[in-house]
Amino acid sequence: MKIDGVAHRSIWPAEHGRSVHIIDQTQLPHRFVTTELTTPEAAATAIRDMWVRGAPLIGATAAYGLAMALARDPSDAGLAQAAAQLAATRPTAINLRWALDAVTASVAPLPESARAAAAWAKAGEICDEDVEVNHAIGRHGLTLIREIAARKNQGKGGGKGGGEPVNILTHCNAGWLATVDWGTATSPIYQAHDAGIPVHVWVDETRPRNQGAGLTAWELGRHGVSHRLVVDNAGGHLMQHGLVDMVIVGTDRTTATGDVCNKIGTYLKALAAHDNGVPFHVALPSSTIDWTVSDGLREIPIEERSGREVTHLTGLTEDGRSETIAITPPTTEATNPAFDVTPARLVTSLITERGICAASADGLASLFPERRAAS
């Protein structure tokens, strides 16, 4: 995607092929800073401390981290130890484990002397595949936006770029910053915008880390997509007044039965959408589906992050300094679950790289029949 007209990915290998560069997302939206990761420990820190975040990008970063580890110790013990250390950084996003398993499977049969190069190549493949998958998700999701645009502007004339915009609400950041490129929930939005279909995005601030305010708003603005920031609790009000045509969110893990685990607050948006008859869509690559889990509420581990993320805020002062402030009494403790689970019954559809399906075991099996056979 573009930053002020210049195409970027969220992760890219150095020219010498021994390290990777990332965008340090903790510095956005006020500073655009890139960081070089040269060791598996640095990759683990980048994932754990959310320099990179978003399930697909976490997986890509972990894949490169494992390749760096194998350059140091390509033995079976080194492979197992590095994979375990990287897997422990974030427990909820399934892409992390998926990417590590993919690299491990590709190098395990090889002699130790060939493992590091093969792992590096596999990490590159994972990144390139992510771009293709997310572009395909966008193509399928674009059909939903086109249908709404046609319905809203039926008989009103207006060609490309004209007419009433399709109002889309999204939560957290499922944009290109959360993937290698295009994003999941934003891919249909970007493709609609680039096709001249008027779209407007309501961006949830997404407390406590404010990924909507700091990341989604930043990338939409840099690409030129119309948007407006709202507090997390405004979504239901907007829906009640007919100001939301559809909701599109991403997911960190989706069960084989269609339950969706995503950033905390997603469940409440799904409830509001259900009550107001607003379509609630989830965009996801198939690597985010955990085919071993059927009950998201009981089987998906929910990451508990530091309460300091709730009790403190970091922002830019009027004189350009970055400062962290406390917003609660010093004696107040906070609980900070990072994700919640939206039951499949509240999800209108799942948008995958293979097409759109119902959020159910049968719906997913219609697009991924080989998985039903495997289970």
Side-chain angles (χ1 to χ4, degrees), residues 3 7-24 32-37 52 57 60-61 64 68 120 123-124 127-128 176-177 179-180:
I3 302 175
H8 284 264
R9 282 188 175 186
S10 61
I11 186 169
W12 62 99
E15 291 184 2
H16 54 67
R18 295 186 297 275
S19 62
V20 293
H21 296 277
I22 62 166
I23 299 169
D24 183 352
F32 179 73
V33 176
T34 62
T35 298
E36 185 177 11
L37 305 179
V52 296
L57 180 55
T61 306
Y64 275 118
M68 288 184 244
W120 193 265
C127 289
D128 290 341
W176 70 266
L177 289 169
T179 67
V180 179

Side-chain angles (χ1 to χ4, degrees), residues 50-181:
M50 297 181 74
W51 304 355
V52 296
R53 23 73 49 214
L57 180 55
I58 287 171
T61 306
Y64 275 118
L66 190 53
M68 288 184 244
L70 289 171
R72 178 191 298 169
D73 180 2
S75 67
D76 287 348
L79 173 62
Q81 181 180 17
Q85 289 175 341
L86 287 160
T89 55
R90 299 289 303 275
T92 301
I94 192 64
N95 291 67
L96 175 61
R97 189 181 73 199
W98 171 85
L100 292 171
D101 287 348
V103 174
T104 298
S106 69
V107 304
L110 302 177
E112 291 183 2
S113 60
R115 284 180 171 179
W120 193 265
K122 183 62 177 178
E125 290 176 12
I126 287 173
C127 289
D128 290 341
E129 289 171 4
D130 183 69
V131 177
E132 294 177 5
V133 163
N134 293 326
H135 189 257
I137 288 171
R139 289 198 308 270
H140 296 301
L142 176 59
T143 62
L144 300 173
I145 297 176
R146 285 190 187 278
E147 290 171 1
I148 294 174
R151 186 167 63 249
K152 290 187 71 172
N153 294 290
Q154 187 175 11
K156 296 181 180 179
K160 184 176 180 180
E164 290 186 43
V166 177
N167 292 304
I168 304 168
L169 185 141
T170 191
H171 187 69
C172 193
N173 174 257
W176 70 266
L177 289 169
T179 67
V180 179
D181 206 350

Side-chain angles (χ1 to χ4, degrees), residues 19-356:
S19 62
V20 293
H21 296 277
I22 62 166
I23 299 169
D24 183 352
Q25 297 185 31
T26 64
Q27 301 294 318
L28 293 174
H30 307 300
R31 299 174 63 215
F32 179 73
V33 176
T34 62
T35 298
E36 185 177 11
L37 305 179
T38 60
T39 66
E41 291 81 12
T45 297
I47 296 169
R48 183 178 55 251
D49 293 350
M50 297 181 74
W51 304 355
V52 296
R53 23 73 49 214
L57 180 55
I58 287 171
T61 306
Y64 275 118
L66 190 53
M68 288 184 244
L70 289 171
R72 178 191 298 169
D73 180 2
S75 67
D76 287 348
L79 173 62
Q81 181 180 17
Q85 289 175 341
L86 287 160
T89 55
R90 299 289 303 275
T92 301
I94 192 64
N95 291 67
L96 175 61
R97 189 181 73 199
W98 171 85
L100 292 171
D101 287 348
V103 174
T104 298
S106 69
V107 304
L110 302 177
E112 291 183 2
S113 60
R115 284 180 171 179
W120 193 265
K122 183 62 177 178
E125 290 176 12
I126 287 173
C127 289
D128 290 341
E129 289 171 4
D130 183 69
V131 177
E132 294 177 5
V133 163
N134 293 326
H135 189 257
I137 288 171
R139 289 198 308 270
H140 296 301
L142 176 59
T143 62
L144 300 173
I145 297 176
R146 285 190 187 278
E147 290 171 1
I148 294 174
R151 186 167 63 249
K152 290 187 71 172
N153 294 290
Q154 187 175 11
K156 296 181 180 179
K160 184 176 180 180
E164 290 186 43
V166 177
N167 292 304
I168 304 168
L169 185 141
T170 191
H171 187 69
C172 193
N173 174 257
W176 70 266
L177 289 169
T179 67
V180 179
D181 206 350
W182 285 105
T184 55
T186 59
S187 186
I189 295 169
Y190 285 128
Q191 294 192 40
H193 170 79
D194 292 350
I197 300 172
V199 291
H200 173 267
V201 184
W202 296 110
V203 180
D204 272 2
E205 59 181 349
T206 321
R207 285 275 293 146
R209 291 190 63 90
N210 296 316
Q211 294 102 321
L215 302 178
T216 303
W218 181 83
E219 64 171 78
L220 289 174
R222 291 302 177 100
H223 197 77
V225 179
S226 172
H227 65 282
R228 184 164 291 189
L229 181 69
V230 293
V231 299
D232 287 348
N233 290 330
H237 168 79
L238 296 173
M239 294 180 205
Q240 286 178 323
H241 290 271
L243 297 175
V244 179
D245 296 307
M246 64 190 304
V247 180
I248 308 179
V249 300
T251 173
D252 289 81
R253 190 186 301 206
T254 296
T255 71
T257 55
D259 295 337
V260 172
C261 182
N262 194 48
K263 183 57 61 182
I264 193 75
T266 302
Y267 171 53
L268 296 180
K269 294 299 180 298
L271 286 172
H274 181 75
D275 191 52
N276 288 279
V278 175
F280 184 93
H281 303 284
V282 179
L284 69 153
S286 57
S287 58
T288 310
I289 304 170
D290 189 342
W291 299 98
T292 69
V293 170
S294 60
D295 188 334
L297 195 60
R298 292 174 174 80
E299 297 180 71
I300 296 178
I302 299 299
E303 178 182 358
E304 288 274 352
R305 295 187 61 82
S306 169
R308 185 177 172 85
E309 293 181 348
V310 179
T311 61
H312 290 69
L313 283 174
T314 299
L316 204 66
T317 63
E318 290 186 355
D319 59 1
R321 291 177 294 110
S322 178
E323 286 197 359
T324 298
I325 62 170
I327 60 172
T328 59
T331 57
T332 297
E333 297 182 354
T335 298
N336 186 18
F339 303 91
D340 59 26
V341 174
T342 299
R345 62 182 175 81
L346 297 177
V347 178
T348 304
S349 74
L350 303 174
I351 309 170
T352 79
E353 71 269 25
R354 292 192 185 179
I356 301 173

